[in-house]
Amino acid sequence: MNVLVAAPLPKAFTYQWHSEHMPRFGMRVIVPWGRQHRIGLVQGVAPDQQLAENIKPVHSVLDQGECLSAQWQALIEFAAKYYHHPLGMIALEALPKALRVLNARGEEPVMVAKSREHAMKLLAERTDPDTSVKANKTKIDKLEKPELNAEQLDAVAQLANAKGFNPFLLYGVTGSGKTEVYLHTVEERLKRGEQVLVLLPEINLTPAAQALYKERLAPHRVVVMHSNLAELTRTKAWFEAATGAADVIIATRLGVLTPLPRLGMIVVDEEHDPSYKQQDGMRYHARDLALMLAKQREVPIVLGSATPALESWLKADLGAYKRLCLKNRAVLGASLPKVELINTANFPAKEGLSEPAMQALVQNFEAGKQSIVFLNRRGYAPQMVCNACGWVANCDHCTAHMVWHKNERMLRCHHCGAGQRVPTHCPTCGNQDLTGFGRGTQRIEETLAGLLPTANILRIDADSTRNKGQMEALLQQAHSGEADVLVGTQMIAKGHDFANVALVLALNVDASLYSHAYRAPERLFAQLMQVAGRAGRRAGDARMVVQTRYPQHPLFDALKAHNYESFASHEMQARKDARMPPFSHQATIRADHKKLANCLQFLSTARELGEPLVDADSPVFMCDPVPLTVVRVGGIERAQMLIESESRPALHRFLTQWLAQLHELPGSVRWFLEVDPVDL
Ligand SMILES: Nc1ncnc2c1ncn2[C@@H]1O[C@H](COP(=O)(O)OP(=O)(O)OP(=O)(O)O)[C@@H](O)[C@H]1O
Ligand SMILES: [Zn+2]
């Protein structure tokens, strides 16, 4: 019997089968693995099964694999092929931990039984029309159901009635009421007994969505899935989704790999968001896999955004996706904020804030309105330096500076997570005058407290939301209006429907303006449009203030005009001229080793192996191996090589042949492949 096990090899492992059960795909089994046991999934009968003596028998059968259908198998097989990642790793990592990892005693955790029982009970209740859903803890503003406007009605009509594989791009400005469109569409689809998957890019958007969908779609069963849930909760939600007991599944990217027996439609909100890309293990893009899922299951899918990814925009231009537009803000009297640029050459920043920016903050506070200060950098200061000798605190394990976290009195490496106490004096010269260089959210928070001593200032970033419940509590204060100023990273910049924000201040945008990463302008533009979009959602006269040294940059013209389309056409042309995605297809191979030279050597060998596979039929180009910008992380040095082709099939043909050879290479260099990389 072939059994899939979470191991980094592109093959199944063969075991003998003694069970009285008929083997079938997806059955979970315990198999001997070295001196221990592991959970595996039956893949099928090994083609050349001989009863060789060294083939070990399957230890025991955990379940019949009822939840893991042939449809799910097709999806993970596609993912394995497309991302050139071991099928066993994908299949097992798609399951909640409780279903794939044995406990310390080598047994299946009890929560599996509990979760299954819970789902079965719900499934049985599904036939009972009086099933009512408990109200959610998270309160939401008001739950009145607005009358849809003409554009929304048109979008809902098309989405609710769409049949078969049918991709839509819902292009609607921030605050145009895309969420209402989803809700009405989902309601219609649920009436037909379908299950709907709603993907959101970030965990912090799930509480509000859950509350809203539950309230509006009761008594339908709404579950949430993301990586921050308690194991029991997550396993229960998985069973509810996989048995079909749940009607709506609100999930972050991992939701796309869940079995959904009654799937009828997929919603991908904020489809442009880079958080949909998984950055370790199987480096998949959840939006792209969602499209594949929709295709395989022959169901419609809607990708929603105010700033679509250029990939999606091009598809809509080509007619592969149907574009639905919401051109205006939904709430009567609401309007997009007026964008003002402050040239820091004329108005130098003191403690990060220029004079006009400070005035704007004070004015807005005195007018009783909320402000957002957006700064994509957490901590107090990105560097700690000695003013006497120029020493800078660096990470011992990474080619990176330590970030000063003043509140926690720690220096932290944002690459490897290493932490140490803030030193009392300079380790090289003994000087006690150590200061922070640059500014993070904590430091801006401190400056704002000085500027607005009576204001309630809230910081929302990865540090302030680390503990359970903190994020919900902070967002609650933001929504209720208790908070006067929100300081935060991209966590507050997107998706949230804040009612009372009248001013957005964007700081520290210049680094991305002239970054060498080719996606940097697209990302910056999307981020600024999104954060601008948090202001003026219920009333007009909102402002967005951007501090920059480069106010003449063309990106700002499009921002001032709130004109995604002009930005997109400009950027699209630039990509086309440079033969960059979406006009070419890419993969990278990354090599990790203690010594950079070994990484580069490995990549050179890999390139030599690849050369003979490239020909006229296989127009593939391998670039030079290069060290990563941050070369060393956690004591490991990294290098990578980019592979490009204008033909996706040619690229994948090449990768398949090439990887077969790479897996045979001996040596201690760890390597992996990434298809459609986004961080270049
Ligand atoms: N037809 C309507 N009439 C009045 N208000 C509406 C209507 N549709 C939506 N709204 C309200 O408009 C606000 C903004 O809507 P929503 O949050 O759905 O925008 P969005 O398009 O998702 O924005 P973003 O892209 O910024 O996330 C919500 O408070 C919503 O209740
Ligand atoms: Zn480090």
Side-chain angles (χ1 to χ4, degrees):
M1 192 61 47
N2 275 344
V3 176
L4 297 170
V5 179
L9 291 168
K11 60 165 190 163
F13 296 84
T14 308
Y15 290 90
Q16 288 183 40
W17 187 258
H18 292 311
S19 167
E20 73 276 16
H21 302 288
M22 278 293 286
R24 49 167 285 197
F25 174 85
M27 278 177 135
R28 289 184 315 126
V29 290
I30 297 183
V31 292
W33 186 262
R35 283 205 223 131
Q36 293 163 332
H37 285 94
R38 276 201 185 181
I39 294 184
L41 294 179
V42 170
Q43 186 189 30
V45 182
D48 49 357
Q49 196 174 22
Q50 315 131 344
L51 285 176
E53 275 171 23
N54 56 356
I55 297 183
K56 292 184 184 157
V58 164
H59 175 274
S60 54
V61 176
L62 287 172
D63 61 34
Q64 306 300 306
E66 299 88 345
C67 290
L68 304 178
S69 60
Q71 291 168 329
W72 182 77
Q73 179 183 5
L75 179 73
I76 58 156
E77 281 176 357
F78 168 82
K81 219 167 137 201
Y82 186 83
Y83 291 107
H84 299 271
H85 199 75
L87 183 62
M89 299 276 277
I90 296 175
L92 281 134
E93 280 171 17
L95 307 180
K97 211 165 150 202
L99 288 169
R100 64 180 152 91
V101 182
L102 298 168
N103 67 17
R105 275 167 300 169
E107 302 155 348
E108 193 180 48
V110 258
M111 61 180 81
V112 173
K114 268 197 196 162
S115 309
R116 196 199 316 260
E117 213 174 280
H118 160 85
M120 290 307 165
K121 199 170 140 258
L122 284 168
L123 205 56
E125 283 171 7
R126 275 190 60 81
T127 46
D128 174 1
D130 284 325
T131 314
S132 68
V133 181
K134 263 184 268 154
N136 195 263
K137 277 183 293 197
T138 311
K139 283 191 223 88
I140 32 181
D141 290 0
K142 256 195 251 132
L143 289 165
E144 88 271 18
K145 200 170 156 182
E147 287 282 315
L148 297 189
N149 60 38
E151 289 177 327
Q152 288 173 314
L153 282 172
D154 176 55
V156 172
Q158 298 207 43
L159 293 170
N161 297 317
K163 292 190 184 68
F165 174 60
N166 210 336
F168 292 86
L169 179 64
L170 178 62
Y171 164 57
V173 299
T174 52
S176 58
K178 294 186 284 295
T179 312
E180 277 306 320
V181 170
Y182 303 145
L183 279 166
H184 279 82
T185 303
V186 174
E187 196 176 346
E188 290 302 315
R189 314 245 25 150
L190 294 183
K191 280 185 196 157
R192 292 181 216 151
E194 297 176 355
Q195 220 176 4
V196 182
L197 173 66
V198 179
L199 293 178
L200 299 175
E202 293 213 18
I203 295 173
N204 75 63
L205 296 171
T206 57
Q210 181 182 24
L212 188 63
Y213 278 75
K214 270 198 169 176
E215 188 77 34
R216 289 278 294 272
L217 301 173
H220 286 287
R221 182 84 198 153
V222 177
V223 296
V224 169
M225 300 210 308
H226 58 71
S227 57
N228 231 4
L229 292 174
E231 211 48 56
L232 178 61
T233 317
R234 170 147 176 222
T235 313
K236 274 186 177 167
W238 187 89
F239 269 109
E240 285 191 44
T243 54
D247 300 302
V248 180
I249 295 90
I250 297 176
T252 53
R253 58 176 182 256
L254 54 84
V256 74
L257 292 167
T258 308
L260 301 163
R262 298 187 288 117
L263 183 68
M265 173 155 215
I266 306 175
V267 175
V268 184
D269 195 16
E270 313 287 357
E271 65 88 27
H272 65 280
D273 202 289
S275 307
Y276 280 122
K277 183 75 202 286
Q278 165 97 359
Q279 291 293 33
D280 54 34
M282 176 173 81
R283 300 182 162 226
Y284 65 97
H285 200 299
R287 177 199 58 219
D288 298 346
L289 273 188
L291 279 155
M292 182 38 67
L293 176 61
K295 196 167 183 179
Q296 286 185 339
R297 302 290 292 275
E298 298 180 33
V299 299
I301 176 169
V302 53
L303 313 179
S305 179
T307 50
L310 290 179
E311 277 80 2
S312 308
W313 194 247
L314 181 65
K315 288 269 186 140
D317 281 347
L318 297 173
Y321 301 169
K322 174 118 213 275
R323 194 162 12 217
L324 304 170
C325 300
L326 307 178
K327 297 201 184 67
N328 299 301
R329 284 210 153 165
V331 174
L332 226 59
S335 58
L336 292 163
K338 181 169 181 294
V339 178
E340 301 156 40
L341 302 175
I342 298 175
N343 188 341
T344 46
N346 306 334
F347 300 98
K350 277 177 253 142
E351 277 302 315
L353 300 179
S354 62
E355 196 57 47
M358 289 193 267
Q359 276 170 15
L361 285 163
V362 172
Q363 252 177 30
N364 198 51
F365 173 61
E366 285 172 353
K369 307 234 173 92
Q370 271 182 324
S371 306
I372 284 181
V373 179
F374 168 62
L375 169 68
N376 225 349
R377 196 189 256 166
R378 65 194 171 85
Y380 184 78
Q383 292 179 38
M384 173 170 259
V385 298
C386 168
N387 285 329
C389 74
W391 168 84
V392 184
N394 286 324
C395 177
D396 291 338
H397 319 285
C398 309
T399 36
H401 300 304
M402 294 294 266
V403 178
W404 181 13
H405 286 249
K406 194 176 177 186
N407 299 15
E408 303 94 310
R409 289 194 227 117
M410 292 288 280
L411 295 179
R412 282 214 158 86
C413 175
H414 286 191
H415 293 275
C416 72
Q420 66 188 65
R421 290 250 144 216
V422 169
T424 50
H425 54 270
C426 172
T428 51
C429 76
N431 166 36
Q432 298 192 349
D433 182 23
L434 300 177
T435 53
F437 184 75
R439 250 156 287 275
T441 44
Q442 291 183 1
R443 192 166 186 179
I444 292 294
E445 182 188 19
E446 191 179 279
T447 309
L448 290 168
L451 180 72
L452 303 168
T454 57
N456 182 9
I457 299 166
L458 229 57
R459 178 167 54 84
I460 304 186
D461 57 25
D463 299 312
S464 71
T465 55
R466 189 145 289 149
N467 299 332
K468 266 225 145 32
Q470 270 179 325
M471 186 180 69
E472 280 93 335
L474 287 170
L475 287 173
Q476 191 68 54
Q477 286 186 57
H479 281 287
S480 70
E482 259 170 85
D484 301 305
V485 185
L486 312 175
V487 191
T489 53
Q490 32 85 26
M491 280 184 99
I492 52 166
K494 56 191 164 195
H496 297 290
D497 187 32
F498 298 128
N500 198 27
V501 174
L503 172 70
V504 167
L505 172 62
L507 302 176
N508 195 44
V509 302
D510 290 351
S512 318
L513 276 180
Y514 293 103
S515 158
H516 61 269
Y518 78 93
R519 282 179 203 269
E522 181 185 359
R523 280 205 184 161
L524 178 64
F525 185 74
Q527 251 176 12
L528 293 176
M529 289 281 278
Q530 291 294 337
V531 68
R534 297 318 106 202
R537 291 173 80 91
R538 299 288 186 281
D541 286 336
R543 298 167 71 189
M544 178 192 206
V545 174
V546 184
Q547 267 186 200
T548 175
R549 238 336 249 104
Y550 310 100
Q552 72 290 350
H553 194 288
L555 183 145
F556 290 127
D557 296 332
L559 180 70
K560 278 193 281 193
H562 297 285
N563 195 339
Y564 165 80
E565 293 172 41
S566 79
F567 173 81
S569 72
H570 176 269
E571 197 60 23
M572 200 76 88
Q573 191 58 48
R575 297 272 187 94
K576 196 170 186 176
D577 294 344
R579 295 264 131 230
M580 287 290 207
F583 300 95
S584 72
H585 306 282
Q586 301 180 325
T588 51
I589 174 164
R590 233 269 308 271
D592 289 10
H593 194 266
K594 277 198 203 98
K595 292 203 185 89
L596 179 63
N598 291 347
C599 303
L600 293 169
Q601 181 57 51
F602 172 84
L603 294 176
S604 301
T605 311
R607 184 150 83 160
E608 281 161 27
L609 280 176
E611 293 297 354
L613 305 175
V614 179
D615 55 38
D617 295 336
S618 221
V620 171
F621 183 71
M622 288 180 282
C623 303
D624 289 330
V626 287
L628 261 63
T629 322
V630 179
V631 157
R632 192 161 39 96
V633 166
I636 301 293
E637 316 222 294
R638 298 113 34 98
Q640 75 181 14
M641 182 165 88
L642 176 66
I643 302 116
E644 280 184 309
S645 179
E646 285 178 25
S647 151
R648 201 193 285 280
L651 177 66
H652 283 268
R653 264 198 314 275
F654 168 81
L655 293 176
T656 307
Q657 292 180 330
W658 189 45
L659 288 176
Q661 300 189 21
L662 293 185
H663 280 294
E664 301 300 319
L665 279 181
S668 55
V669 172
R670 288 188 45 164
W671 62 272
F672 64 84
L673 185 88
E674 179 164 1
V675 175
D676 305 332
V678 291
D679 276 339
L680 285 177

